[in-house]
Amino acid sequence: MVFWKVENLPRKQQVKEMTLYVRELTNEEGNRLKKIARKNTDGVKVRRSLVILASAQKMKVPEIAELYQLSREHIRKFIHRFNKEGMDAIQPRYNGGRPRTFTPEQRADIIELAQIPPKVLGMPFTHWSLTKLKEAAEKKGIVRSISIETIRCILEEANITYQHTKTWKESNDPGFHTKKNESNSSTKPRRKMDG
């Protein structure tokens, strides 16, 4: 309900103030709001429930704003929203943040690629590293560009583990092992000096 009221002020200061209240609550709505206000852990839902309950008790918007440290505009918008949507208005609408860069199809293709052994695709290694998976996804045209961190997050969401790569060099010289051991004996041991 909306009421127009003129305060008992001197004639110069008389201002029409619109008083806004929440619509009449059903018993079920009142009970649900009280339960949310007492037992819910989501601060946004609790605060919204308290605002609606206060308005249902005919508290004015400025009084509610002062009591709960919220802006009058925010309270008015929320009361209008509750009057229109009912209990659905209590649910926060979180939609912040940047939208996902990659489509669900691209993510699924990356997950599928990660589950194919690299040797099957003709790669010269046996396990995927994040870097190699990134390069393969870009080369196959699954994505134009992707960071290693995003690859890691996609795999983590799908509960897929990856290998941390270890590199080493091997010689194709047949006498490598004997030469390697001989080079150790060719170096002279250093004498320890006392002192």
Side-chain angles (χ1 to χ4, degrees):
M1 292 185 194
V2 177
F3 300 100
W4 289 93
K5 184 177 182 182
V6 177
E7 298 290 332
N8 294 330
L9 297 171
R11 191 159 181 82
K12 282 184 175 179
Q13 294 178 4
Q14 283 187 358
V15 178
K16 281 189 174 181
E17 183 180 310
M18 185 172 89
T19 306
L20 174 67
Y21 298 112
V22 74
R23 64 171 168 70
E24 193 72 28
L25 299 177
T26 65
N27 286 337
E28 182 185 341
E29 287 175 330
N31 290 335
R32 284 180 61 197
L33 288 168
K34 287 178 192 174
K35 185 176 180 180
I36 291 170
R38 281 192 307 239
K39 296 185 178 183
N40 203 296
T41 57
D42 185 345
V44 175
K45 290 181 184 180
V46 170
R47 201 168 30 256
R48 289 178 177 185
S49 298
L50 291 171
V51 166
I52 295 302
L53 289 169
S55 181
Q57 294 171 359
K58 302 301 181 205
M59 281 183 76
K60 296 177 183 174
V61 171
E63 295 168 338
I64 298 170
E66 188 176 329
L67 180 64
Y68 296 116
Q69 298 297 305
L70 298 170
S71 74
R72 294 176 183 191
E73 182 182 347
H74 177 73
I75 292 170
R76 283 188 198 96
K77 285 180 180 179
F78 183 65
I79 291 173
H80 282 297
R81 186 172 156 206
F82 185 86
N83 286 342
K84 186 177 179 182
E85 299 176 20
M87 290 299 293
D88 290 340
I90 299 295
Q91 290 293 333
R93 293 180 183 165
Y94 297 119
N95 60 354
R98 181 177 161 199
R100 286 191 165 195
T101 306
F102 303 105
T103 66
E105 292 80 21
Q106 289 172 315
R107 289 172 169 269
D109 289 345
I110 290 170
I111 291 167
E112 185 179 332
L113 179 63
Q115 293 174 330
I116 299 171
K119 288 279 189 192
V120 172
L121 299 173
M123 305 282 187
F125 44 89
T126 56
H127 293 85
W128 289 111
S129 68
L130 295 176
T131 306
K132 297 291 185 186
L133 193 57
K134 169 192 174 346
E135 291 168 1
E138 291 172 350
K139 187 175 179 182
K140 286 186 161 294
I142 295 172
V143 292
R144 187 173 50 82
S145 177
I146 190 168
S147 71
I148 292 172
E149 180 62 18
T150 303
I151 293 276
R152 188 192 64 74
C153 290
I154 290 171
L155 296 179
E156 191 174 276
E157 288 171 7
N159 294 322
I160 296 174
T161 59
Y162 55 92
Q163 297 292 318
H164 293 281
T165 56
K166 295 178 185 175
T167 58
W168 61 91
K169 304 258 186 220
E170 288 191 17
S171 174
N172 56 2
D173 181 5
F176 172 74
H177 290 291
T178 54
K179 291 178 185 176
K180 180 178 116 179
N181 293 334
E182 287 174 7
S183 71
N184 286 342
S185 63
S186 68
T187 57
K188 295 178 183 174
R190 295 175 81 190
R191 274 187 14 202
K192 288 187 179 182
M193 299 183 85
D194 291 336

PDB file of all heavy atoms in Angstrom, residues 168-193:
ATOM      1  N   TRP A 168      65.244 -34.814 -19.137  1.00  0.00           N
ATOM      2  CA  TRP A 168      66.644 -35.201 -19.005  1.00  0.00           C
ATOM      3  C   TRP A 168      67.188 -35.460 -20.399  1.00  0.00           C
ATOM      4  O   TRP A 168      66.439 -35.666 -21.344  1.00  0.00           O
ATOM      5  CB  TRP A 168      66.816 -36.429 -18.105  1.00  0.00           C
ATOM      6  CG  TRP A 168      66.132 -37.656 -18.597  1.00  0.00           C
ATOM      7  CD1 TRP A 168      66.629 -38.632 -19.400  1.00  0.00           C
ATOM      8  CD2 TRP A 168      64.780 -38.036 -18.335  1.00  0.00           C
ATOM      9  NE1 TRP A 168      65.702 -39.585 -19.651  1.00  0.00           N
ATOM     10  CE2 TRP A 168      64.540 -39.239 -19.001  1.00  0.00           C
ATOM     11  CE3 TRP A 168      63.739 -37.463 -17.599  1.00  0.00           C
ATOM     12  CZ2 TRP A 168      63.324 -39.886 -18.964  1.00  0.00           C
ATOM     13  CZ3 TRP A 168      62.531 -38.117 -17.555  1.00  0.00           C
ATOM     14  CH2 TRP A 168      62.338 -39.319 -18.227  1.00  0.00           C
ATOM     15  N   LYS A 169      68.485 -35.425 -20.495  1.00  0.00           N
ATOM     16  CA  LYS A 169      69.139 -35.631 -21.783  1.00  0.00           C
ATOM     17  C   LYS A 169      69.786 -37.020 -21.795  1.00  0.00           C
ATOM     18  O   LYS A 169      70.320 -37.469 -20.799  1.00  0.00           O
ATOM     19  CB  LYS A 169      70.225 -34.577 -22.009  1.00  0.00           C
ATOM     20  CG  LYS A 169      69.732 -33.165 -21.913  1.00  0.00           C
ATOM     21  CD  LYS A 169      69.555 -32.609 -23.266  1.00  0.00           C
ATOM     22  CE  LYS A 169      69.205 -31.142 -23.141  1.00  0.00           C
ATOM     23  NZ  LYS A 169      68.238 -30.702 -24.024  1.00  0.00           N
ATOM     24  N   GLU A 170      69.695 -37.654 -22.933  1.00  0.00           N
ATOM     25  CA  GLU A 170      70.368 -38.930 -23.122  1.00  0.00           C
ATOM     26  C   GLU A 170      71.223 -38.824 -24.370  1.00  0.00           C
ATOM     27  O   GLU A 170      70.868 -38.143 -25.323  1.00  0.00           O
ATOM     28  CB  GLU A 170      69.349 -40.063 -23.279  1.00  0.00           C
ATOM     29  CG  GLU A 170      68.657 -40.407 -21.984  1.00  0.00           C
ATOM     30  CD  GLU A 170      67.862 -41.686 -22.092  1.00  0.00           C
ATOM     31  OE1 GLU A 170      68.093 -42.466 -23.039  1.00  0.00           O
ATOM     32  OE2 GLU A 170      67.001 -41.895 -21.232  1.00  0.00           O
ATOM     33  N   SER A 171      72.320 -39.536 -24.347  1.00  0.00           N
ATOM     34  CA  SER A 171      73.223 -39.536 -25.493  1.00  0.00           C
ATOM     35  C   SER A 171      72.935 -40.748 -26.377  1.00  0.00           C
ATOM     36  O   SER A 171      72.561 -41.809 -25.887  1.00  0.00           O
ATOM     37  CB  SER A 171      74.674 -39.575 -25.005  1.00  0.00           C
ATOM     38  OG  SER A 171      75.539 -39.720 -26.094  1.00  0.00           O
ATOM     39  N   ASN A 172      73.111 -40.582 -27.684  1.00  0.00           N
ATOM     40  CA  ASN A 172      72.962 -41.730 -28.584  1.00  0.00           C
ATOM     41  C   ASN A 172      74.307 -42.414 -28.840  1.00  0.00           C
ATOM     42  O   ASN A 172      74.412 -43.309 -29.662  1.00  0.00           O
ATOM     43  CB  ASN A 172      72.294 -41.309 -29.900  1.00  0.00           C
ATOM     44  CG  ASN A 172      73.038 -40.194 -30.599  1.00  0.00           C
ATOM     45  OD1 ASN A 172      74.080 -39.750 -30.123  1.00  0.00           O
ATOM     46  ND2 ASN A 172      72.502 -39.749 -31.717  1.00  0.00           N
ATOM     47  N   ASP A 173      75.336 -42.001 -28.135  1.00  0.00           N
ATOM     48  CA  ASP A 173      76.664 -42.615 -28.232  1.00  0.00           C
ATOM     49  C   ASP A 173      76.637 -43.953 -27.492  1.00  0.00           C
ATOM     50  O   ASP A 173      76.311 -43.991 -26.302  1.00  0.00           O
ATOM     51  CB  ASP A 173      77.694 -41.669 -27.605  1.00  0.00           C
ATOM     52  CG  ASP A 173      79.113 -42.200 -27.661  1.00  0.00           C
ATOM     53  OD1 ASP A 173      79.330 -43.266 -28.275  1.00  0.00           O
ATOM     54  OD2 ASP A 173      79.998 -41.538 -27.097  1.00  0.00           O
ATOM     55  N   PRO A 174      76.960 -45.083 -28.157  1.00  0.00           N
ATOM     56  CA  PRO A 174      76.922 -46.388 -27.489  1.00  0.00           C
ATOM     57  C   PRO A 174      77.891 -46.495 -26.314  1.00  0.00           C
ATOM     58  O   PRO A 174      77.650 -47.230 -25.370  1.00  0.00           O
ATOM     59  CB  PRO A 174      77.275 -47.386 -28.584  1.00  0.00           C
ATOM     60  CG  PRO A 174      77.645 -46.607 -29.777  1.00  0.00           C
ATOM     61  CD  PRO A 174      77.343 -45.177 -29.542  1.00  0.00           C
ATOM     62  N   GLY A 175      78.949 -45.738 -26.315  1.00  0.00           N
ATOM     63  CA  GLY A 175      79.926 -45.807 -25.224  1.00  0.00           C
ATOM     64  C   GLY A 175      79.709 -44.734 -24.174  1.00  0.00           C
ATOM     65  O   GLY A 175      80.604 -44.457 -23.368  1.00  0.00           O
ATOM     66  N   PHE A 176      78.531 -44.147 -24.151  1.00  0.00           N
ATOM     67  CA  PHE A 176      78.254 -43.020 -23.255  1.00  0.00           C
ATOM     68  C   PHE A 176      78.453 -43.389 -21.781  1.00  0.00           C
ATOM     69  O   PHE A 176      79.105 -42.668 -21.040  1.00  0.00           O
ATOM     70  CB  PHE A 176      76.835 -42.494 -23.488  1.00  0.00           C
ATOM     71  CG  PHE A 176      76.395 -41.467 -22.495  1.00  0.00           C
ATOM     72  CD1 PHE A 176      76.894 -40.183 -22.546  1.00  0.00           C
ATOM     73  CD2 PHE A 176      75.510 -41.785 -21.476  1.00  0.00           C
ATOM     74  CE1 PHE A 176      76.509 -39.228 -21.622  1.00  0.00           C
ATOM     75  CE2 PHE A 176      75.113 -40.845 -20.552  1.00  0.00           C
ATOM     76  CZ  PHE A 176      75.611 -39.559 -20.632  1.00  0.00           C
ATOM     77  N   HIS A 177      77.902 -44.513 -21.362  1.00  0.00           N
ATOM     78  CA  HIS A 177      77.948 -44.862 -19.943  1.00  0.00           C
ATOM     79  C   HIS A 177      79.388 -45.092 -19.468  1.00  0.00           C
ATOM     80  O   HIS A 177      79.750 -44.672 -18.359  1.00  0.00           O
ATOM     81  CB  HIS A 177      77.078 -46.086 -19.652  1.00  0.00           C
ATOM     82  CG  HIS A 177      75.619 -45.782 -19.788  1.00  0.00           C
ATOM     83  ND1 HIS A 177      74.949 -44.965 -18.929  1.00  0.00           N
ATOM     84  CD2 HIS A 177      74.704 -46.176 -20.709  1.00  0.00           C
ATOM     85  CE1 HIS A 177      73.678 -44.864 -19.292  1.00  0.00           C
ATOM     86  NE2 HIS A 177      73.510 -45.593 -20.388  1.00  0.00           N
ATOM     87  N   THR A 178      80.229 -45.744 -20.278  1.00  0.00           N
ATOM     88  CA  THR A 178      81.619 -45.959 -19.856  1.00  0.00           C
ATOM     89  C   THR A 178      82.389 -44.647 -19.832  1.00  0.00           C
ATOM     90  O   THR A 178      83.169 -44.400 -18.914  1.00  0.00           O
ATOM     91  CB  THR A 178      82.329 -46.963 -20.793  1.00  0.00           C
ATOM     92  OG1 THR A 178      82.217 -46.523 -22.128  1.00  0.00           O
ATOM     93  CG2 THR A 178      81.758 -48.356 -20.631  1.00  0.00           C
ATOM     94  N   LYS A 179      82.137 -43.815 -20.826  1.00  0.00           N
ATOM     95  CA  LYS A 179      82.818 -42.519 -20.854  1.00  0.00           C
ATOM     96  C   LYS A 179      82.373 -41.656 -19.677  1.00  0.00           C
ATOM     97  O   LYS A 179      83.177 -40.930 -19.098  1.00  0.00           O
ATOM     98  CB  LYS A 179      82.528 -41.795 -22.166  1.00  0.00           C
ATOM     99  CG  LYS A 179      83.166 -42.426 -23.370  1.00  0.00           C
ATOM    100  CD  LYS A 179      82.777 -41.671 -24.611  1.00  0.00           C
ATOM    101  CE  LYS A 179      83.304 -42.330 -25.875  1.00  0.00           C
ATOM    102  NZ  LYS A 179      82.841 -41.634 -27.078  1.00  0.00           N
ATOM    103  N   LYS A 180      81.066 -41.729 -19.360  1.00  0.00           N
ATOM    104  CA  LYS A 180      80.531 -40.919 -18.264  1.00  0.00           C
ATOM    105  C   LYS A 180      81.215 -41.309 -16.954  1.00  0.00           C
ATOM    106  O   LYS A 180      81.625 -40.451 -16.175  1.00  0.00           O
ATOM    107  CB  LYS A 180      79.022 -41.126 -18.143  1.00  0.00           C
ATOM    108  CG  LYS A 180      78.377 -40.319 -17.039  1.00  0.00           C
ATOM    109  CD  LYS A 180      76.891 -40.557 -17.021  1.00  0.00           C
ATOM    110  CE  LYS A 180      76.589 -41.214 -15.692  1.00  0.00           C
ATOM    111  NZ  LYS A 180      75.223 -41.519 -15.447  1.00  0.00           N
ATOM    112  N   ASN A 181      81.362 -42.604 -16.724  1.00  0.00           N
ATOM    113  CA  ASN A 181      81.995 -43.070 -15.491  1.00  0.00           C
ATOM    114  C   ASN A 181      83.488 -42.761 -15.479  1.00  0.00           C
ATOM    115  O   ASN A 181      84.052 -42.492 -14.427  1.00  0.00           O
ATOM    116  CB  ASN A 181      81.753 -44.561 -15.293  1.00  0.00           C
ATOM    117  CG  ASN A 181      80.286 -44.848 -15.034  1.00  0.00           C
ATOM    118  OD1 ASN A 181      79.581 -43.978 -14.541  1.00  0.00           O
ATOM    119  ND2 ASN A 181      79.841 -46.042 -15.375  1.00  0.00           N
ATOM    120  N   GLU A 182      84.139 -42.821 -16.656  1.00  0.00           N
ATOM    121  CA  GLU A 182      85.562 -42.499 -16.738  1.00  0.00           C
ATOM    122  C   GLU A 182      85.827 -41.047 -16.436  1.00  0.00           C
ATOM    123  O   GLU A 182      86.833 -40.694 -15.841  1.00  0.00           O
ATOM    124  CB  GLU A 182      86.110 -42.836 -18.131  1.00  0.00           C
ATOM    125  CG  GLU A 182      86.265 -44.310 -18.392  1.00  0.00           C
ATOM    126  CD  GLU A 182      86.663 -44.589 -19.828  1.00  0.00           C
ATOM    127  OE1 GLU A 182      86.940 -43.637 -20.591  1.00  0.00           O
ATOM    128  OE2 GLU A 182      86.687 -45.758 -20.210  1.00  0.00           O
ATOM    129  N   SER A 183      84.888 -40.165 -16.836  1.00  0.00           N
ATOM    130  CA  SER A 183      85.132 -38.743 -16.611  1.00  0.00           C
ATOM    131  C   SER A 183      85.158 -38.427 -15.125  1.00  0.00           C
ATOM    132  O   SER A 183      85.857 -37.526 -14.696  1.00  0.00           O
ATOM    133  CB  SER A 183      84.074 -37.892 -17.314  1.00  0.00           C
ATOM    134  OG  SER A 183      82.831 -38.018 -16.669  1.00  0.00           O
ATOM    135  N   ASN A 184      84.434 -39.194 -14.322  1.00  0.00           N
ATOM    136  CA  ASN A 184      84.478 -38.981 -12.875  1.00  0.00           C
ATOM    137  C   ASN A 184      85.847 -39.337 -12.319  1.00  0.00           C
ATOM    138  O   ASN A 184      86.342 -38.690 -11.405  1.00  0.00           O
ATOM    139  CB  ASN A 184      83.406 -39.822 -12.168  1.00  0.00           C
ATOM    140  CG  ASN A 184      82.022 -39.231 -12.389  1.00  0.00           C
ATOM    141  OD1 ASN A 184      81.911 -38.082 -12.763  1.00  0.00           O
ATOM    142  ND2 ASN A 184      80.994 -40.025 -12.159  1.00  0.00           N
ATOM    143  N   SER A 185      86.467 -40.410 -12.889  1.00  0.00           N
ATOM    144  CA  SER A 185      87.773 -40.822 -12.366  1.00  0.00           C
ATOM    145  C   SER A 185      88.884 -39.912 -12.877  1.00  0.00           C
ATOM    146  O   SER A 185      89.970 -39.915 -12.326  1.00  0.00           O
ATOM    147  CB  SER A 185      88.050 -42.281 -12.736  1.00  0.00           C
ATOM    148  OG  SER A 185      88.115 -42.405 -14.135  1.00  0.00           O
ATOM    149  N   SER A 186      88.650 -39.192 -13.932  1.00  0.00           N
ATOM    150  CA  SER A 186      89.706 -38.333 -14.470  1.00  0.00           C
ATOM    151  C   SER A 186      89.854 -37.044 -13.679  1.00  0.00           C
ATOM    152  O   SER A 186      90.856 -36.373 -13.777  1.00  0.00           O
ATOM    153  CB  SER A 186      89.444 -38.019 -15.944  1.00  0.00           C
ATOM    154  OG  SER A 186      88.315 -37.201 -16.062  1.00  0.00           O
ATOM    155  N   THR A 187      88.868 -36.709 -12.897  1.00  0.00           N
ATOM    156  CA  THR A 187      89.008 -35.499 -12.083  1.00  0.00           C
ATOM    157  C   THR A 187      89.747 -35.838 -10.808  1.00  0.00           C
ATOM    158  O   THR A 187      89.554 -36.900 -10.221  1.00  0.00           O
ATOM    159  CB  THR A 187      87.617 -34.889 -11.750  1.00  0.00           C
ATOM    160  OG1 THR A 187      86.849 -35.863 -11.099  1.00  0.00           O
ATOM    161  CG2 THR A 187      86.922 -34.397 -12.982  1.00  0.00           C
ATOM    162  N   LYS A 188      90.626 -34.973 -10.411  1.00  0.00           N
ATOM    163  CA  LYS A 188      91.435 -35.221  -9.228  1.00  0.00           C
ATOM    164  C   LYS A 188      90.662 -34.794  -7.986  1.00  0.00           C
ATOM    165  O   LYS A 188      90.053 -33.721  -7.976  1.00  0.00           O
ATOM    166  CB  LYS A 188      92.730 -34.427  -9.321  1.00  0.00           C
ATOM    167  CG  LYS A 188      93.601 -34.868 -10.446  1.00  0.00           C
ATOM    168  CD  LYS A 188      94.845 -34.013 -10.519  1.00  0.00           C
ATOM    169  CE  LYS A 188      95.674 -34.433 -11.708  1.00  0.00           C
ATOM    170  NZ  LYS A 188      96.797 -33.556 -11.912  1.00  0.00           N
ATOM    171  N   PRO A 189      90.695 -35.645  -6.978  1.00  0.00           N
ATOM    172  CA  PRO A 189      90.018 -35.249  -5.733  1.00  0.00           C
ATOM    173  C   PRO A 189      90.756 -34.094  -5.069  1.00  0.00           C
ATOM    174  O   PRO A 189      91.991 -34.021  -5.131  1.00  0.00           O
ATOM    175  CB  PRO A 189      90.064 -36.511  -4.884  1.00  0.00           C
ATOM    176  CG  PRO A 189      91.094 -37.390  -5.482  1.00  0.00           C
ATOM    177  CD  PRO A 189      91.276 -36.968  -6.899  1.00  0.00           C
ATOM    178  N   ARG A 190      90.055 -33.225  -4.430  1.00  0.00           N
ATOM    179  CA  ARG A 190      90.648 -32.093  -3.749  1.00  0.00           C
ATOM    180  C   ARG A 190      91.002 -32.487  -2.334  1.00  0.00           C
ATOM    181  O   ARG A 190      90.272 -33.205  -1.684  1.00  0.00           O
ATOM    182  CB  ARG A 190      89.669 -30.924  -3.721  1.00  0.00           C
ATOM    183  CG  ARG A 190      89.380 -30.405  -5.118  1.00  0.00           C
ATOM    184  CD  ARG A 190      88.338 -29.343  -5.078  1.00  0.00           C
ATOM    185  NE  ARG A 190      88.953 -28.077  -4.699  1.00  0.00           N
ATOM    186  CZ  ARG A 190      88.275 -26.999  -4.393  1.00  0.00           C
ATOM    187  NH1 ARG A 190      86.967 -27.008  -4.415  1.00  0.00           N
ATOM    188  NH2 ARG A 190      88.889 -25.901  -4.053  1.00  0.00           N
ATOM    189  N   ARG A 191      92.137 -32.034  -1.928  1.00  0.00           N
ATOM    190  CA  ARG A 191      92.559 -32.324  -0.564  1.00  0.00           C
ATOM    191  C   ARG A 191      91.885 -31.364   0.390  1.00  0.00           C
ATOM    192  O   ARG A 191      91.740 -30.171   0.100  1.00  0.00           O
ATOM    193  CB  ARG A 191      94.075 -32.124  -0.434  1.00  0.00           C
ATOM    194  CG  ARG A 191      94.827 -33.324  -0.805  1.00  0.00           C
ATOM    195  CD  ARG A 191      96.291 -33.223  -0.525  1.00  0.00           C
ATOM    196  NE  ARG A 191      96.701 -32.118   0.350  1.00  0.00           N
ATOM    197  CZ  ARG A 191      97.911 -31.618   0.369  1.00  0.00           C
ATOM    198  NH1 ARG A 191      98.829 -32.073  -0.431  1.00  0.00           N
ATOM    199  NH2 ARG A 191      98.219 -30.642   1.174  1.00  0.00           N
ATOM    200  N   LYS A 192      91.439 -31.895   1.497  1.00  0.00           N
ATOM    201  CA  LYS A 192      90.834 -31.043   2.518  1.00  0.00           C
ATOM    202  C   LYS A 192      91.950 -30.402   3.318  1.00  0.00           C
ATOM    203  O   LYS A 192      92.937 -31.034   3.670  1.00  0.00           O
ATOM    204  CB  LYS A 192      89.948 -31.857   3.450  1.00  0.00           C
ATOM    205  CG  LYS A 192      88.684 -32.314   2.795  1.00  0.00           C
ATOM    206  CD  LYS A 192      87.785 -32.963   3.817  1.00  0.00           C
ATOM    207  CE  LYS A 192      86.509 -33.399   3.170  1.00  0.00           C
ATOM    208  NZ  LYS A 192      85.586 -33.997   4.097  1.00  0.00           N
ATOM    209  N   MET A 193      91.767 -29.173   3.558  1.00  0.00           N
ATOM    210  CA  MET A 193      92.782 -28.453   4.346  1.00  0.00           C
ATOM    211  C   MET A 193      92.256 -28.280   5.764  1.00  0.00           C
ATOM    212  O   MET A 193      91.084 -27.931   5.957  1.00  0.00           O
ATOM    213  CB  MET A 193      93.069 -27.092   3.718  1.00  0.00           C
ATOM    214  CG  MET A 193      93.604 -27.199   2.308  1.00  0.00           C
ATOM    215  SD  MET A 193      94.013 -25.621   1.661  1.00  0.00           S
ATOM    216  CE  MET A 193      95.649 -25.432   2.286  1.00  0.00           C
TER     217      MET A 193
END
